[in-house]
Amino acid sequence: IHRLDPRTRLVAAGLLMMAITVTPSLAGIGLGLITLFLLTALARVPLSYAMKGILAPLPFILFLVTLQILLGHGGESQPWITFGPIRITATGLMNGAKILLRFPALILAITLFSACTTTTEAVRGLDRLLHPLARIGLPVQDFVLMVQVSLHFLPLLAREAERIVKSQASRGAEWGTGRGGVLRRVRQSLPILVPLFLVSLQRAENLALAMEARGYQSQAGRTSLITLRFDRRDALALALVGVLSVAILIV
């Protein structure tokens, strides 16, 4: 998997995520989840690392599951369990189970793709995939550059936000206490957002000046030192992922 063409990995990840998102059946979502676990083992990505991405949104996922179980009864007249105004039906349980499997499957697909593909490979593959659209006048190069800059700036912004939080905490600000409710937490986040926004604008301006000084021109033809090659191994991998995606949709 790591040696596949970046375009193959991009298309394969997109097909699997689209199939898992669109499929209406619980069996299809389960098949997609099993496929992702097998691909994770085949790529030799530690399962503990792959599951870490699910822990952060897990409370939100459980909240959605609870709402579906309590409210997503679909108008059924015969509930399984009745507790006051709460009616738990088979439809609600099925909807909750779909969410409980669908969201972790999508997160696992993104984690697997990011573990097997570097940022440079992803940008290079995206550029080659969208290159035919440049022939009809679409600004493909500008879009790819925007994606590349965004991916480059995300860790820098996270580091800058951490620095701002530590600076304000050293001046007496309360962070991480969990007191005061939601409104207080929102009010506490404002002193972070303003300097972070200003820092982002300053970085963007410096980047624009540096690119202009180096003669960057939009829509100018660019060459690459590395040539991507799509071989039989990539074709076989895409065919296999296509078959699995169709199976996820129709199972």
Side-chain angles (χ1 to χ4, degrees):
I1 293 179
H2 294 270
R3 292 192 295 267
L4 292 175
D5 190 284
R7 294 169 292 182
T8 303
R9 283 173 270 175
L10 276 170
V11 175
L15 288 176
L16 285 176
M17 293 178 63
M18 188 181 304
I20 294 173
T21 303
V22 174
T23 179
S25 66
L26 185 63
I29 302 174
L31 178 60
L33 194 58
I34 293 174
T35 301
L36 289 171
F37 276 121
L38 292 177
L39 291 176
T40 301
L42 184 62
R44 297 182 180 179
V45 176
L47 186 59
S48 58
Y49 171 79
M51 298 299 292
K52 281 183 180 179
I54 304 176
L55 296 179
L58 186 59
F60 177 71
I61 295 174
L62 294 178
F63 175 73
L64 292 179
V65 170
T66 304
L67 287 181
Q68 285 294 329
I69 292 176
L70 298 180
L71 304 178
H73 48 77
E76 290 187 17
S77 59
Q78 296 296 330
W80 282 15
I81 300 175
T82 302
F83 185 75
I86 298 176
R87 299 170 63 245
I88 299 178
T89 63
T91 302
L93 291 174
M94 182 65 67
N95 293 335
K98 290 179 182 179
I99 292 179
L100 189 60
L101 292 180
R102 196 189 306 270
F103 276 90
L106 294 174
I107 296 173
L108 184 60
I110 296 174
T111 304
L112 177 61
F113 174 76
S114 62
C116 298
T117 309
T118 63
T119 303
T120 303
E121 289 177 336
V123 172
R124 189 180 295 119
L126 183 63
D127 184 22
R128 298 310 302 171
L129 279 176
L130 300 179
H131 184 70
L133 299 178
R135 299 178 180 177
I136 60 177
L138 294 180
V140 173
Q141 182 176 329
D142 294 339
F143 174 75
V144 174
L145 177 65
M146 179 185 66
V147 173
Q148 184 177 8
V149 171
S150 300
L151 294 176
H152 176 71
F153 268 69
L154 284 177
L156 295 179
L157 290 179
R159 192 182 311 162
E160 190 67 29
E162 182 180 2
R163 186 185 67 83
I164 294 173
V165 168
K166 290 181 178 180
S167 299
Q168 294 186 359
S170 65
R171 292 171 173 81
E174 295 183 0
W175 297 103
T177 59
R179 296 179 297 179
V182 178
L183 292 179
R184 181 178 176 84
R185 294 183 184 180
V186 172
R187 193 161 53 245
Q188 286 179 343
S189 65
L190 291 178
I192 300 178
L193 296 179
V194 174
L196 190 62
F197 183 71
L198 294 177
V199 169
S200 302
L201 290 180
Q202 184 64 39
R203 287 184 181 274
E205 184 178 2
N206 292 338
L207 179 62
L209 292 175
M211 292 174 61
E212 184 178 0
R214 287 164 175 80
Y216 176 82
Q217 295 180 2
S218 178
Q219 303 298 328
R222 300 179 62 188
T223 59
S224 177
L225 179 64
I226 300 176
T227 302
L228 300 180
R229 290 181 174 86
F230 188 89
D231 54 19
R232 290 180 296 177
R233 179 178 52 190
D234 298 289
L236 179 61
L238 274 184
L240 180 60
V241 170
V243 171
L244 289 173
S245 301
V246 173
I248 292 172
L249 291 173
I250 66 178
V251 69

